[in-house]
Amino acid sequence: MKTQPAGSSGAAPSPERIPERRTTALKSKTSDGLWGYFFIFPQMIGLIAFSLVPLISAFVISMMSWDGMGAKKFIGLQNFVSQFQDEEFHIALVNTVYYTILSVPTGIVLAMLVAVGLNRVRGKILYRLIYFMPNITMSVAVAVVFMWLFNADFGLINMYLQQWFGITGPSWLTDSRYVMPSIALLSVWMGLGGNMVLFLAGLQGISRSYYEAAEIDGAGKWQQLIHITIPLLSPTTFFVTIMSIIGSFQVFDQSFVMTSGGPAKASYTLVYHIYETAFADFTFGKSTASAVILFVMILTLTLFQMKMSKRWVHYED
């Protein structure tokens, strides 16, 4: 014969108390939901006021003829047609894609290599701080410093090339062949620390047991890097790639400060085109249409990367 535990009557709850318990549980769930909305309310207000409303306004203005001050006139998709036929828009698009090709793969590979190296040494915090400092420096200040470094007459880079290798350095910022690689080099240097920290966090999340098993099987350091580190870093690589491409399509500060889009529009980017169209030509409708096109391009590239990520991104579980 089974005995009931002490302090327990063993009786099922009466039918009269079941609705009471359901009501209490529903009230508790409703209260939790209200508190949740209360805490996200400030963020939702900021999201609506500073993201959603400007985004909707941009789509509306892109269909208007407007000089920024006078009356708006609805013209439909004419601004978009005008931009697709604009030679300056084509130049800006080609330059932006060229800059992306130069800066994104280089930045990702260097950041990964630096992270792998730092993960094997002591004093990670100090090195991480040193590498990350350019990432928090104002881009305009960095651009001004690099204008001096890239100066063809008295810049440090050309001076060292002449003294160490006997090479006469090129006109980095005044030659259309070198201006975009120079800006890409600056961007890689600035973004190296941030990407390195992300890769370092990904490396520290990889279980040591994989490397121990590989060592037992006789795998060397290079084989471990290729077959363990890089595949298990693929989620971090995926995130860094998306953020790097989004940032590269929005490059503006460097070309604006260092070259003003020159020489011969060799550093004329999409965001620079948006700026010029709005605040130099005062055709805000065309400028906003360019911004909408840029938004659609970035969104399409991001969705495509997310679709393709299923083929090469590997998660540990």
Side-chain angles (χ1 to χ4, degrees), residues 41 81 111 136 242:
F41 180 75
V81 175
I136 60 174
I242 286 182

Side-chain angles (χ1 to χ4, degrees), residues 175-187:
D175 191 327
S176 59
R177 296 173 298 175
Y178 298 102
V179 62
M180 194 56 78
S182 302
I183 294 176
L185 178 62
L186 163 61
S187 300

Side-chain angles (χ1 to χ4, degrees), residues 43-279:
Q43 181 65 26
M44 290 298 297
I45 292 296
L47 179 65
I48 293 172
F50 300 108
S51 295
L52 186 60
V53 172
L55 181 62
I56 296 174
S57 300
F59 278 96
V60 174
I61 295 174
S62 66
M63 298 183 183
M64 303 286 181
S65 176
W66 186 41
D67 61 1
M69 298 182 66
K72 301 182 182 71
K73 179 183 177 182
F74 180 78
I75 58 174
L77 300 177
Q78 184 175 335
N79 285 328
F80 293 93
V81 175
S82 174
Q83 287 305 295
F84 284 122
Q85 296 175 347
D86 189 354
E87 184 179 356
E88 291 189 347
F89 179 82
H90 296 161
I91 294 173
L93 177 59
V94 171
N95 288 340
T96 303
V97 173
Y98 179 44
Y99 167 84
T100 301
I101 294 173
L102 288 175
S103 61
V104 172
T106 306
I108 292 174
V109 171
L110 287 178
M112 183 182 295
L113 292 176
V114 171
V116 171
L118 288 183
N119 198 45
R120 299 175 180 272
V121 301
R122 298 179 180 178
K124 295 185 183 66
I125 297 178
L126 177 61
Y127 286 110
R128 186 166 52 191
L129 175 63
I130 294 173
Y131 277 102
F132 193 74
M133 286 181 65
N135 198 259
I136 60 174
T137 306
M138 292 184 62
S139 58
V140 173
V142 174
V144 171
V145 173
F146 269 76
M147 285 179 63
W148 173 62
L149 294 175
F150 284 125
N151 189 279
D153 298 323
F154 51 82
L156 283 180
I157 295 178
N158 281 0
M159 184 179 71
Y160 287 140
L161 287 175
Q162 181 65 42
Q163 291 181 355
W164 294 353
F165 305 101
I167 300 175
T168 301
S171 301
W172 296 99
L173 300 179
T174 56
D175 191 327
S176 59
R177 296 173 298 175
Y178 298 102
V179 62
M180 194 56 78
S182 302
I183 294 176
L185 178 62
L186 163 61
S187 300
V188 169
W189 181 80
M190 284 191 62
L192 180 64
N195 292 338
M196 178 272 298
V197 169
L198 293 173
F199 278 119
L200 192 59
L203 285 169
Q204 294 175 356
I206 299 176
S207 175
R208 180 63 191 167
S209 60
Y210 294 107
Y211 297 101
E212 293 173 351
E215 290 175 357
I216 293 173
D217 291 338
K221 297 296 183 183
W222 176 254
Q223 292 175 316
Q224 293 177 27
L225 176 65
I226 297 298
H227 298 292
I228 298 177
T229 304
I230 293 180
L232 292 181
L233 268 183
S234 57
T236 306
T237 306
F238 173 57
F239 175 76
V240 171
T241 302
I242 286 182
M243 299 306 296
S244 298
I245 291 178
I246 291 175
S248 67
F249 269 81
Q250 296 177 337
V251 61
F252 171 73
D253 299 354
Q254 297 91 319
S255 60
F256 179 78
V257 175
M258 300 173 69
T259 62
S260 298
K265 293 191 180 296
S267 59
Y268 189 75
T269 61
L270 280 174
V271 177
Y272 200 105
H273 175 72
I274 294 171
Y275 165 80
E276 283 269 307
T277 308
F279 299 104

Side-chain angles (χ1 to χ4, degrees), residues 246-316:
I246 291 175
S248 67
F249 269 81
Q250 296 177 337
V251 61
F252 171 73
D253 299 354
Q254 297 91 319
S255 60
F256 179 78
V257 175
M258 300 173 69
T259 62
S260 298
K265 293 191 180 296
S267 59
Y268 189 75
T269 61
L270 280 174
V271 177
Y272 200 105
H273 175 72
I274 294 171
Y275 165 80
E276 283 269 307
T277 308
F279 299 104
D281 301 336
F282 291 99
T283 51
F284 281 81
K286 293 181 179 179
S287 174
T288 311
S290 298
V292 171
I293 294 172
L294 177 60
F295 167 77
V296 173
M297 290 172 57
I298 293 175
L299 179 62
T300 303
L301 281 173
T302 303
L303 293 176
F304 175 76
Q305 291 177 85
M306 295 179 69
K307 181 70 174 179
M308 297 300 295
S309 67
K310 298 178 181 179
R311 300 186 178 184
W312 63 275
V313 177
H314 308 283
Y315 295 96
E316 189 173 358

